[in-house]
Amino acid sequence: MHVNTGVSIAGVRLANPVIAASGTYGFGREYGEYVDLNKLGGISVKGLTLEPRAGNRTPRIAETPAGMLNSVGLQNPGVEAFIRDEIPWLRKYSLKIMANIAGNSVADYIQMAERLDEADIDMIEVNVSCPNVRQGCISFGSTPAGVAEVTLAVRKATKKPVVVKLTPNVSDISSTAMAAEAGGADAVSLINTITGMVIDVNTRRPLLYNNTGGLSGPAIRPVAVRMVHEVYKAVGIPIIGMGGITSAEDALQFIIAGASAVMVGTWNFNNPRACIEVADGIECYLKENGMQCIGRLTGCLELNGE
Amino acid sequence: MNENARVVSMENLCKNSFLMRIEEKRIASLARPGQFVNVLCSRDNKLLLRRPISIMDADASGGTFDIAFEVRGEGTRLLSGFRPGDMLDVMGPLGNGFEFNESYRRIAVVGGGIGIYPLNFLVKRSGDIEIDVFMGYRCSDAVMPCRGIEEGGCNVYLSTDDGSAGHRGFITEVFEKNNAPGKYDMVYICGPVQMAERAAGLVRRAGGRCQVSMEERMGCGIGACLVCSCEVKTKDGTLRKTVCKDGPVFDGFEVFPEVE
Ligand SMILES: Cc1cc2nc3c(=O)[nH]c(=O)nc-3n(C[C@H](O)[C@H](O)[C@H](O)COP(=O)(O)OP(=O)(O)OC[C@H]3O[C@@H](n4cnc5c(N)ncnc54)[C@H](O)[C@@H]3O)c2cc1C
Ligand SMILES: Cc1cc2nc3c(=O)[nH]c(=O)nc-3n(C[C@H](O)[C@H](O)[C@H](O)COP(=O)(O)O)c2cc1C
Ligand code: FES
């Protein structure tokens, strides 16, 4: 049987539902030596800011049970360097390009969205959820009003599809998701990392120089799946799910809970071919279950007791 | 690339250190001194992150390379449990490696603890020139045999923190006392950051040149995630480089610039 693994999000057609998650895949160059980038649905590039950023001091990483904390702090070359140095190279491949943007202020988001509107990218992922910077970003993502304000501003500044990336560090993620939808988002992606801390008991100091960092990897997967399920019930726009995906089975949990596509982040560090293996595994699952496309799986979850 | 490589042999070098020979033709033929591999220490993914370990020797014709490591935590403990015949997932060779110029007639290597391992490979590959080797350890128990250095006919200087072997104190003291750190064409440094900084300072004051191999906690190991960032001062200004891809070897004066 021929199966079609393609998915459409906000009118953008991805060859398969697997996207490399922002911050774990750079701009694709390094992992491009391990995998054929044409076999990914898309890439969300390292979080961009208006000006280049140096990021936080090291150590920036700590392994935790089934996960890791990072406190990179949005080190990146800035949006202009991305447009000039990275897009032409990345465009040689068929995968779709999402520009992940993070701002200190609403004005930053607007300026980046306007600049990217003219650039050769497919979607803008609005990062209102980075836990590792002092100003802006997650402070917008923490409240429905903040999410709505940034989303509305970006929506006005660009015709490109707008995906809003949500933070799990809130008491009710469906309310920030609804705020993104009301602000005109074409889709939402979730979850970004969960803020955490690891303490070195010998020095009695946090292991990360930044004190806290964002938890990612398998440890956060059940939280992420639950949140995708909640958001699916709350909004009508497509959802891109992520958090601890290591295999096709993990990815399918997100899809069944309501995601139209998925992102793979931390697991690339463990297995540089993770994205491809997840995509291949999803194709096998469709074949084995006699399904022609993914659409029917999205949100097909049946709850117990209903 | 990551490869499913086969462990050929495992040897207990000294108290907590192990030498592992791994069969993997591509890595064996490409490896240069100063490069490393990123190793998955647990076959059933008990650990998420790979561990960076230097390549300490490589035999291109035999298709094998060696790593040596000290057990520090869970990752290296699991690695020490591998046995000949076991399969191991390694990515490599990674990083830039040491720069070595055929015109060099006299070099020094300064290593502390596990920092000796990558220097062993350099000594082996640098041919028939004069090499002074400075090795610092915690105690005599930690001093481990290094074939390249032992067979290389080098002048070896040893120190231990407790004086149980060689000079009692820091290896940088021996480096400073017995030799003029400026008389070498190049000094190669690898070890704890305080040791590396001190050694680089001595070389600078004596008017020499040095390369330092840096350590930083890593995520991807290939330059994509930017967790292993390191600040370097070059003539183009202060830059952020990755230890895993741009490094681990840097010009000593770029990572330890003179404090004004
Ligand atoms: C380029 C490079 C080359 C190295 N070469 C060697 C070698 O040849 N032999 C050897 O014995 N050791 C070497 N190390 C150090 C080795 O990577 C660490 O000892 C090892 O990662 C510790 O892992 P663990 O799980 O046993 O310890 P844990 O302390 O439990 O590790 C926890 C986390 O911290 C990281 N980490 C801990 N110490 C270090 C360190 N010193 N450097 C980088 N990451 C660290 C680990 O990778 C892991 O992610 C090298 C490090 C680097 C960066
Ligand atoms: C090292 C690292 C850097 C990250 N940088 C970004 C970033 O720049 N922008 C962003 O939106 N998310 C960033 N993230 C979050 C991931 O994109 C993803 O949301 C999160 O890690 C959960 O997925 P995972 O468990 O598959 O990694 C980063 C994650 C890691 C581990
Ligand atoms: S470890 Fe990812 S960039 Fe160096």
Side-chain angles (χ1 to χ4, degrees):
Chain A
M1 189 181 79
H2 177 76
V3 301
N4 184 351
T5 55
V7 292
S8 283
I9 291 172
V12 178
R13 185 80 187 157
L14 310 182
N16 66 58
V18 181
I19 304 167
S22 177
T24 63
Y25 229 69
F27 300 103
R29 287 181 194 270
E30 295 78 21
Y31 281 104
E33 291 179 24
Y34 291 82
V35 300
D36 178 359
L37 293 176
N38 293 311
K39 293 201 170 139
L40 268 70
I43 177 176
S44 176
V45 302
K46 176 64 201 171
L48 302 164
T49 49
L50 208 45
E51 302 296 332
R53 272 184 73 105
N56 294 322
R57 281 180 63 176
T58 60
R60 293 177 173 183
I61 187 168
E63 182 158 355
T64 59
M68 56 165 272
L69 291 180
N70 93 82
S71 57
V72 172
L74 290 175
Q75 180 181 340
N76 81 95
V79 74
E80 283 307 324
F82 164 67
I83 293 172
R84 187 183 61 233
D85 304 333
E86 306 296 342
I87 296 179
W89 180 86
L90 204 46
R91 258 305 177 228
K92 294 186 296 188
Y93 300 92
S94 59
L95 83 176
K96 300 299 179 200
I97 305 173
M98 288 173 93
N100 180 285
I101 59 172
N104 291 331
S105 63
V106 175
D108 278 5
Y109 283 104
I110 294 175
Q111 228 178 311
M112 281 190 278
E114 283 174 348
R115 189 67 190 87
L116 286 162
D117 190 59
E118 305 152 10
D120 188 12
I121 56 153
D122 299 295
M123 298 190 234
I124 296 177
E125 183 174 46
V126 183
N127 177 357
V128 282
S129 42
C130 178
N132 297 322
V133 289
R134 287 235 168 74
Q135 269 186 308
C137 214
I138 202 171
S139 64
F140 293 112
S142 312
T143 63
V147 172
E149 186 188 4
V150 175
T151 309
L152 209 61
V154 172
R155 176 71 290 162
K156 282 195 195 133
T158 180
K159 286 186 203 57
K160 302 269 188 204
V162 173
V163 180
V164 175
K165 185 163 180 179
L166 302 174
T167 173
N169 301 306
V170 289
S171 52
D172 175 18
I173 197 162
S174 56
S175 62
T176 46
M178 286 191 288
E181 183 176 42
D186 297 289
V188 286
S189 56
L190 61 143
I191 62 175
N192 207 319
T193 54
I194 302 176
T195 310
M197 183 188 268
V198 173
I199 294 168
D200 180 333
V201 297
N202 294 315
T203 62
R204 301 186 200 99
R205 283 172 180 275
L207 215 145
L208 298 176
Y209 186 83
N210 190 51
N211 298 322
T212 58
L215 182 65
S216 63
I220 70 171
R221 192 193 312 133
V223 177
V225 170
R226 184 264 297 173
M227 287 186 162
V228 165
H229 167 65
E230 284 178 5
V231 169
Y232 183 72
K233 287 189 296 184
V235 302
I237 51 178
I239 298 165
I240 302 172
M242 81 197 90
I245 294 176
T246 70
S247 66
E249 189 178 327
D250 298 344
L252 286 158
Q253 290 194 50
F254 282 86
I255 293 170
I256 292 165
S260 298
V262 294
M263 289 184 172
V264 178
T266 301
W267 204 252
N268 293 303
F269 304 164
N270 179 283
N271 175 5
R273 284 184 263 269
C275 287
I276 307 289
E277 289 178 12
V278 171
D280 288 348
I282 291 173
E283 188 174 344
C284 283
Y285 180 87
L286 292 179
K287 279 186 184 146
E288 283 165 13
N289 288 276
M291 297 175 165
Q292 262 160 356
C293 62
I294 291 166
R296 292 218 348 263
L297 268 178
T298 295
C300 72
L301 177 73
E302 290 180 47
L303 293 176
N304 301 323
E306 280 185 5
Chain B
M1 295 297 127
N2 71 318
E3 310 287 348
N4 226 354
R6 199 172 59 88
V7 177
V8 178
S9 62
M10 243 335 237
E11 193 185 319
N12 197 179
L13 281 179
C14 62
K15 218 166 100 208
N16 264 329
S17 291
F18 295 85
L19 174 73
M20 184 189 268
R21 177 154 295 171
I22 301 163
E23 184 176 87
E24 212 296 298
K25 288 195 178 63
R26 201 183 51 82
I27 296 176
S29 65
L30 293 176
R32 284 179 283 114
Q35 290 188 303
F36 65 97
V37 288
N38 216 4
V39 187
L40 214 51
C41 296
S42 148
R43 271 155 301 180
D44 40 15
N45 279 322
K46 276 202 231 72
L47 291 174
L48 181 145
L49 297 175
R50 291 164 180 268
R51 301 295 191 258
I53 307 283
S54 301
I55 297 167
M56 83 163 309
D57 204 349
D59 171 11
S61 56
T64 63
F65 69 94
D66 296 351
I67 57 174
F69 58 92
E70 186 177 73
V71 173
R72 288 280 181 86
E74 186 62 5
T76 43
R77 192 187 62 75
L78 287 166
L79 197 59
S80 72
F82 277 76
R83 295 289 166 261
D86 287 348
M87 300 307 282
L88 185 70
D89 182 337
V90 285
M91 288 169 74
L94 303 175
N96 58 353
F98 294 110
E99 239 173 66
F100 180 79
N101 191 310
E102 296 295 329
S103 70
Y104 293 167
R105 298 272 64 92
R106 186 164 202 202
I107 63 169
V109 304
V110 185
I114 55 177
I116 311 285
Y117 301 126
L119 296 170
N120 175 74
F121 193 15
L122 178 78
V123 165
K124 234 187 131 175
R125 285 278 166 101
S126 50
D128 198 14
I129 61 170
E130 196 178 336
I131 304 173
D132 289 351
V133 176
F134 297 87
M135 309 194 278
Y137 294 99
R138 280 189 305 275
C139 59
S140 61
D141 281 0
V143 178
M144 75 281 159
C146 267
R147 250 158 248 147
I149 289 169
E150 281 159 10
E151 294 161 7
C154 315
N155 311 309
V156 177
Y157 302 86
L158 191 66
S159 78
T160 47
D161 295 351
D162 62 358
S164 52
H167 167 81
R168 179 201 186 112
F170 294 133
I171 194 61
T172 43
E173 295 161 7
V174 187
F175 184 50
E176 184 175 18
K177 228 180 271 167
N178 296 18
N179 291 272
K183 69 187 176 187
Y184 304 101
D185 295 315
M186 185 60 76
V187 177
Y188 298 91
I189 303 165
C190 186
V193 69
Q194 298 86 340
M195 184 222 84
E197 183 161 18
R198 215 170 288 157
L202 292 171
V203 177
R204 183 192 0 255
R205 252 168 277 148
R209 294 171 58 209
C210 64
Q211 294 171 33
V212 176
S213 182
M214 299 294 286
E215 272 187 18
E216 195 54 75
R217 286 170 183 250
M218 293 183 182
C220 68
I222 59 174
C225 74
L226 306 184
V227 309
C228 67
S229 196
C230 160
E231 196 177 277
V232 298
K233 277 215 166 68
T234 70
K235 46 187 184 317
D236 306 328
T238 303
L239 303 175
R240 283 248 152 225
K241 299 218 171 176
T242 56
V243 170
C244 66
K245 193 181 183 200
D246 301 323
V249 180
F250 295 96
D251 181 300
F253 307 150
E254 290 187 351
V255 277
F256 300 122
E258 202 155 17
V259 269
E260 279 105 49

